[in-house]
């Protein structure tokens, strides 16, 4: 687990601590963070040991809920809350909003009525009217809006001005001024030329608080929706499993399943944990993990994944990964981590926000001064209201939310499509990729060679060739031995025991089978045994030119036949390459296979650039050479030999069937493990980054236009002034519009 402050890669300091964090072995809490709780925190129930963090400032981390000392937003748990309990912050803000609305509506109704019926204006501003408005507004400002004042005070103490600084100043100024007029009406009357106490603005203070609370409620609801895809993924896991013990079957909670347990999966049930089929066959719908709806046939020895849906067959499986080890649990953990990460583009918003709030406070003071000195009567009222409008409308909440909500929604959508994004930086970098380097085996091809062809020479038949080859390979550890054995099983051929088995390094194997001397390997092996390969070797060379690995079989000193093994190209590869080229990507294939095999695969797939016989260091070197040419490189691979290149590329893409080290070296992981996933990931990256830019544009333009209007720029030309109430509604709308735009990513089509 990351420790408190571990996100400070550039030597940042916590605003509340003013010291660089030091690495620690256990999660820690800022001592000062215990004093940063808002009243909303009283409603939150802290889970022991759960670390909470700020979605906008991930460096702020503490044990238990609270509010961020930098931006004032409610902290969120780092781990997904599976309890099903509603968000305590949302509950508290909703309660405060309805309370504020109930008391603010009469105030607003009175102000509107006085506007249309001037006779009521005097009644509202006489002594009785002022005290009545004070009675209605005080609970709203002092209780409902209390979290805003608490967070605004935090921002001043920590010298980190934020949206709550502006809200607290705006609401506080309107309320305190109105309170002073109510308490000392004669003194204020003596300061004005109108002969009586000036108007009070309790309605503005209360309605601003109510509308900001509404914005908070809508924002919290929308933010909760960004995690719905992740929570829906976890809900796919079944709650019980049927365990097989001593020929009896019993249903137990999935949490009690242990490694090695035998589990029965009946037709139509979800697979409880990750494991291997030991008995029976069926078809499995893996769409909830891979995004592919086509069922996959599973038989004894095949791996199955928890939460996937069993078809019509019944089978027994052995549990191999349980609890947090399952693929589903790892997906949830990885996506949750990605949703908390920050895209590099967020630095722009952070930089602007750092200067923005002080600039807004200055703009509000200048606005008030201008209206006070050169504005029309009533000067003080105009100065106060326009200054408050500037403070409220310029709250930078939309600017701060522009990136995090898009990342959260995008990574959740990716997870549903079988694409796991390690962090927002990988998502941003992938948009600009112009070169895709692809490993051949396991990426373009299945990565599991199959017995492709058998050719019997005169005097022998195909079944005999397969029988002797499989019998000999049963004692071999060569990677191709398994292909021949599986091919024999598929042809119904049963191998015999081999004696006097011997492996000849770089050439092949020999042994005695059924009383006959058998050799299987290349022409050099047969030549060393004094056997003339003749025409067989020429036919084998033809097969090698087609990308197959050809072996010669000799029985009792005579060439008997040829067996070839090939790694078939994945069905989805040609279409995926076509779509990737259409997106403008340059495709480069790397493989450790021979040039003949690489050439054959490249010709079939129309790949113009490739390199064969590449070692791991060479793959990384090729990636770095492309980068030196100014190319933005993504590397896709699945093996240990791909890990250096995956780490060297701007974006590493690990195929789902890959090794653990390949998966750890990658920024993007494709669960299904085919290139269609890369096409989808690229579309997703472009959509998310486009969405972020839209949000930043909305936020910048909104504040750029809103502040001058609130300051009264249009008044000399059109007589238009922006009420603080309208400004607060506009501020809430800006945040909600940014979040709503980000939530569109949840319905993004990736096909």
């Amino acid at each position: 687990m990351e420790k408190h402050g571990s996100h400070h890669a550039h030597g940042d300091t916590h605003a509340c601590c003013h010291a660089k964090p030091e690495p620690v072995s256990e999660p820690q809490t800022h001592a000062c963070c215990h004093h940063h709780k808002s009243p909303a925190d009283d409603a939150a129930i802290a889970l022991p040991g759960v670390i909470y963090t700020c979605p906008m400032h991930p460096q702020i981390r503490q044990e238990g809920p609270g509010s961020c000392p930098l931006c004032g937003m409610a902290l969120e748990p780092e781990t997904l809350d599976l309890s099903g309990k509603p968000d305590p912050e949302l509950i508290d803000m909703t309660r405060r909003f309805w309370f504020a609305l109930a008391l603010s509506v009469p105030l607003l109704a009175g102000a509107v009525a006085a506007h249309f019926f001037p006779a009521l204006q005097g009644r509202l501003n006489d002594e009785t009217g002022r005290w009545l408005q004070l009675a209605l507004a005080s609970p709203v400002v002092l209780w409902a809006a209390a979290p805003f004042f608490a967070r605004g005070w935090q921002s001043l103490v920590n010298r980190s001005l934020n949206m709550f600084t502006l809200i607290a100043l705006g609401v506080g100024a309107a309320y305190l001024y109105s309170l002073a007029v109510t308490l000392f009406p004669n003194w204020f009357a003596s300061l004005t030329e109108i002969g009586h106490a000036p108007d009070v603005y309790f309605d503005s203070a209360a309605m601003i608080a109510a509308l900001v609370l509404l914005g908070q409620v809508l924002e919290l609801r929308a933010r909760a929706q960004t995690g719905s895809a992740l929570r829906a993924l976890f809900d796919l896991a079944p709650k019980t499993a049927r365990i097989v013990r001593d020929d009896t079957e019993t249903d137990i909670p999935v949490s009690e399943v242990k490694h090695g347990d035998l589990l029965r999966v009946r037709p139509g049930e979800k697979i409880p944990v990750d494991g291997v089929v030991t008995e029976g066959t069926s078809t499995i719908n893996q769409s909830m993990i891979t995004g592919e709806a086509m069922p996959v046939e599973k038989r004894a020895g095949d791996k199955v994944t928890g939460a996937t849906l069993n078809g019509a067959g019944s089978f027994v499986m052995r549990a191999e990964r349980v609890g947090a080890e399952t693929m589903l649990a790892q997906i949830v953990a990885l996506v949750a981590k990605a949703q908390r990460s920050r895209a590099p583009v967020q630095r722009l918003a952070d930089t602007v926000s750092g200067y923005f709030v002080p600039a807004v406070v200055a703009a509000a003071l200048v606005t008030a001064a201008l209206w006070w000195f050169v504005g029309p009567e009533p000067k003080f009222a105009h100065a106060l209201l326009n200054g408050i409008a500037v403070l409220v409308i310029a709250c930078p909440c939309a600017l701060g939310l522009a990136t995090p909500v898009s990342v959260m929604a995008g990574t959740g959508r990716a997870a549903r499509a079988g694409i796991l994004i390690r962090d927002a930086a990988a998502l941003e970098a992938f948009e600009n990729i112009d070169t895709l380097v692809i490993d051949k085996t396991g990426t373009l091809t299945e990565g599991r060679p199959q017995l492709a062809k058998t050719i019997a020479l005169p005097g022998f038949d195909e079944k005999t060739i397969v029988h002797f080859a499989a019998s000999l390979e049963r004692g071999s550890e060569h990677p191709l031995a398994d292909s021949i054995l599986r091919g024999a099983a598929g042809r119904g051929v049963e191998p015999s025991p081999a004696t006097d088995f011997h492996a000849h390094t770089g050439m092949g194997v020999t042994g005695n089978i059924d009383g006959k001397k058998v050799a299987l390997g290349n022409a050099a092996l047969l030549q060393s045994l004094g056997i003339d390969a003749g025409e067989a070797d020429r036919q084998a060379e033809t097969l090698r030119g087609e990308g197959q690995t050809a072996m010669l079989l000799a029985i009792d000193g005579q060439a008997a036949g040829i067996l070839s093994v090939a790694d078939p190209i994945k069905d989805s590869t040609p279409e995926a390459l076509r779509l990737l080229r259409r997106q403008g990507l340059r495709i480069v294939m790397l493989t450790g296979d021979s040039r003949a095999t690489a050439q054959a695969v490249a010709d079939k797939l129309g790949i113009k650039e490739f390199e064969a016989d590449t070692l791991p260091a060479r793959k990384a070197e090729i990636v770095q050479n492309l980068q030196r040419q100014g190319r933005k490189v993504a590397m896709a691979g699945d093996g240990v030999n791909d890990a250096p290149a995956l780490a060297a590329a701007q974006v590493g893409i690990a195929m789902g069937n890959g090794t653990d080290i390949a998966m750890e070296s990658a920024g993007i992981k494709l669960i299904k493990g085919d290139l269609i996933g890369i096409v989808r990931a690229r579309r997703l990256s472009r959509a998310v980054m486009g969405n972020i830019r839209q949000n930043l544009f909305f936020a910048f333009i909104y504040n750029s236009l809103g502040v001058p209007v609130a300051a009264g720029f249009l008044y000399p030309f059109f007589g238009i002034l922006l009420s603080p109430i309208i400004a607060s509604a506009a501020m809430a709308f800006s945040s909600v519009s940014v979040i709503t735009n980000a939530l569109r990513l949840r319905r993004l089509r990736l096909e």
Side-chain angles (χ1 to χ4, degrees):
M1 178 181 290
E2 292 180 352
K3 307 302 180 278
H4 190 73
S6 61
H7 288 272
H8 284 278
H10 303 289
D12 300 4
T13 58
H14 287 295
C16 54
C17 294
H18 303 290
K20 291 184 180 179
E22 296 180 358
V24 292
S25 57
E26 295 296 334
Q28 294 185 351
T29 307
H30 282 304
C32 57
C33 286
H34 290 298
H35 304 291
H36 292 329
K37 293 184 179 180
S38 69
D41 301 331
D42 296 335
I45 301 175
L47 301 176
V50 175
I51 301 300
Y52 285 69
T53 186
C54 174
M56 288 169 57
H57 299 92
Q59 69 269 26
I60 300 300
R61 304 174 72 243
Q62 70 177 46
E63 187 171 326
S67 59
C68 175
L70 299 183
C71 66
M73 291 181 64
L75 302 181
E76 297 179 350
E78 286 193 339
T79 53
L80 184 66
D81 180 12
L82 302 175
S83 65
K85 296 179 182 178
D87 180 6
E89 176 83 1
L90 176 58
I91 292 174
D92 185 71
M93 286 294 178
T94 302
R95 184 189 303 120
R96 292 173 188 272
F97 163 68
W98 287 113
F99 179 85
L101 184 66
L103 296 182
S104 299
V105 166
L107 289 169
L108 181 63
V112 172
H115 178 74
F116 289 102
F117 303 100
L120 292 175
Q121 185 68 35
R123 299 294 301 273
L124 283 175
N125 283 286
D126 63 18
E127 184 174 2
T128 301
R130 288 194 297 270
W131 282 100
L132 179 60
Q133 292 182 70
L134 174 64
L136 289 172
S138 292
V140 176
V141 174
L142 300 180
W143 180 76
F148 306 148
F149 290 106
R151 296 175 186 183
W153 177 251
Q154 288 176 25
S155 71
L156 296 176
V157 171
N158 297 319
R159 297 192 293 277
S160 177
L161 305 185
N162 55 50
M163 62 174 283
F164 293 103
T165 314
L166 304 182
I167 293 171
L169 287 174
V171 175
Y175 178 78
L176 291 176
Y177 166 74
S178 301
L179 176 63
V181 171
T182 303
L183 295 176
F184 310 105
N186 294 331
W187 183 75
F188 277 90
S190 66
L191 296 178
T192 64
E193 299 177 1
I194 56 178
H196 57 78
D199 294 345
V200 292
Y201 299 102
F202 288 116
D203 57 333
S204 294
M207 282 306 301
I208 289 172
L211 287 168
V212 173
L213 283 166
L214 174 61
Q216 290 288 293
V217 169
L218 295 176
E219 178 184 317
L220 288 167
R221 284 183 178 176
R223 280 169 52 191
Q225 291 179 27
T226 63
S228 62
L230 195 57
R231 192 169 284 103
L233 268 179
F234 208 95
D235 289 342
L236 293 172
K239 304 300 183 288
T240 62
R242 193 168 186 83
I243 191 168
V244 180
R245 290 175 179 162
D246 301 325
D247 296 328
T248 61
E249 299 181 5
T250 309
D251 289 335
I252 63 172
V254 169
S255 59
E256 296 181 10
V257 175
K258 296 180 177 59
H259 185 277
D261 284 347
L262 294 179
L263 308 174
R264 166 76 66 182
V265 183
R266 293 170 293 187
E269 291 184 336
K270 289 182 178 179
I271 298 170
V273 296
D274 297 359
V276 175
V277 177
T278 60
E279 176 188 328
T281 61
S282 186
T283 55
I284 308 297
N285 185 334
Q286 301 181 138
S287 59
M288 61 280 296
I289 296 293
T290 65
E292 295 294 328
M294 186 65 66
V296 179
E297 184 176 353
K298 299 289 184 180
R299 58 181 72 245
D302 289 340
K303 293 183 178 182
V304 290
T305 305
T308 55
L309 184 63
N310 183 29
S314 175
F315 62 89
V316 176
M317 61 172 286
R318 181 178 65 254
E320 291 195 335
R321 292 186 176 184
V322 299
E325 298 175 346
T326 63
M327 178 179 289
L328 183 62
Q330 291 176 3
I331 290 173
V332 170
L334 186 65
V335 177
K337 181 180 178 181
Q339 289 186 337
R340 296 192 305 272
S341 66
R342 288 155 60 85
V345 71
Q346 178 69 20
R347 295 172 189 161
L348 173 62
D350 290 346
T351 301
V352 172
S353 295
Y355 296 99
F356 187 75
V357 176
V360 169
V361 174
L365 292 175
V366 170
T367 297
L370 289 174
W371 280 96
W372 176 266
F373 290 109
V374 300
E377 293 291 347
K379 293 178 180 291
F380 185 81
H382 282 137
L384 178 69
L385 293 182
N386 286 300
I388 291 173
V390 170
L391 289 173
V392 172
I393 201 169
C395 285
C397 46
L399 189 61
L401 289 169
T403 297
V405 292
S406 295
V407 170
M408 292 178 71
T411 51
R413 174 66 185 93
R416 298 206 319 270
I419 304 166
L420 303 184
I421 311 294
R422 187 176 63 187
D423 52 38
L427 196 63
E428 180 174 340
F430 198 44
E431 180 196 27
N432 298 318
I433 293 301
D434 55 27
T435 302
L436 178 62
V437 177
I438 311 177
D439 173 56
K440 180 184 76 68
T441 306
T443 304
L444 295 173
T445 64
E446 296 287 353
R448 193 178 185 188
Q450 300 176 6
L451 183 58
K453 288 185 179 181
T454 57
I455 301 174
L457 297 179
F460 299 92
D461 60 72
E462 183 179 334
K463 187 173 183 180
T464 299
I465 293 171
V466 173
H467 169 74
F468 280 108
S471 301
L472 198 57
E473 290 286 25
R474 191 162 64 170
S476 173
E477 296 180 353
H478 193 278
L480 297 180
D482 181 59
S483 306
I484 294 176
L485 289 171
R486 283 188 285 106
R491 291 165 170 78
V493 176
E494 186 70 25
S496 300
T499 61
D500 196 23
F501 177 85
H502 183 68
H504 302 262
T505 304
M507 294 190 292
V509 292
T510 58
N512 293 331
I513 301 168
D514 299 337
K516 297 181 180 295
K517 293 183 178 181
V518 182
L520 180 66
N522 55 25
L525 175 64
L526 269 61
Q527 185 177 0
S528 69
L529 298 174
I531 301 172
D532 181 19
E535 181 62 26
D537 189 34
R538 286 188 287 273
Q539 293 186 52
E541 192 61 35
T542 301
L543 294 174
R544 294 187 189 102
E546 296 174 0
Q548 302 179 35
T549 300
M551 294 163 282
L552 305 177
L553 180 73
I555 302 175
D556 284 340
Q558 181 182 355
I562 307 164
L563 297 94
S564 69
V565 173
D567 187 6
I569 294 172
K570 293 177 181 178
D571 294 338
S572 60
T573 295
E575 175 64 10
L577 289 177
R578 184 186 68 81
L579 293 173
L580 290 169
R581 290 190 187 98
R582 195 167 72 180
Q583 291 182 2
L585 289 180
R586 172 184 175 185
I587 309 296
V588 179
M589 182 184 77
L590 303 181
T591 179
D593 286 346
S594 66
R595 180 168 183 82
T597 300
Q599 183 71 62
V601 172
D603 290 343
K604 287 180 182 177
L605 297 175
I607 297 175
K608 300 294 190 295
E609 296 180 72
F610 69 90
E611 184 164 331
D613 299 312
T614 52
L615 297 175
R618 175 58 182 161
K619 289 185 178 182
E621 182 182 341
I622 291 171
V623 169
Q624 292 165 350
N625 288 340
L626 289 167
Q627 291 171 331
R628 281 192 284 269
Q629 297 170 16
R631 311 294 296 191
K632 305 295 184 182
V633 183
M635 169 70 191
D638 70 330
V640 173
N641 61 334
D642 298 319
L646 290 171
Q650 271 93 353
V651 180
I653 305 170
M655 313 309 282
N657 52 345
T659 61
D660 290 341
I661 188 170
M663 300 293 274
E664 288 300 322
S665 302
I668 296 176
K669 304 178 184 182
L670 307 179
I671 296 176
K672 189 171 186 295
D674 65 24
L675 295 185
I676 289 294
I678 299 180
V679 178
R680 293 172 178 164
R682 181 136 168 105
R683 288 174 179 165
L684 177 81
S685 173
R686 287 180 167 179
V688 171
M689 295 312 301
N691 192 273
I692 289 174
R693 281 189 284 270
Q694 291 168 6
N695 285 346
L696 290 173
F697 176 79
F698 291 156
F700 280 126
I701 291 299
Y702 166 80
N703 285 299
S704 298
L705 298 179
V707 170
V709 173
F713 179 78
L714 299 180
Y715 184 79
F717 307 101
F718 306 103
I720 296 176
L721 285 177
L722 195 63
S723 161
I725 296 175
I726 301 301
S728 61
M731 182 272 294
F733 173 76
S734 70
S735 297
V736 174
S737 63
V738 163
I739 295 175
T740 303
N741 185 51
L743 290 179
R744 292 189 303 110
L745 292 170
R746 297 189 306 155
R747 299 184 298 274
L748 177 67
R749 289 182 59 86
L750 298 177
E751 300 301 329

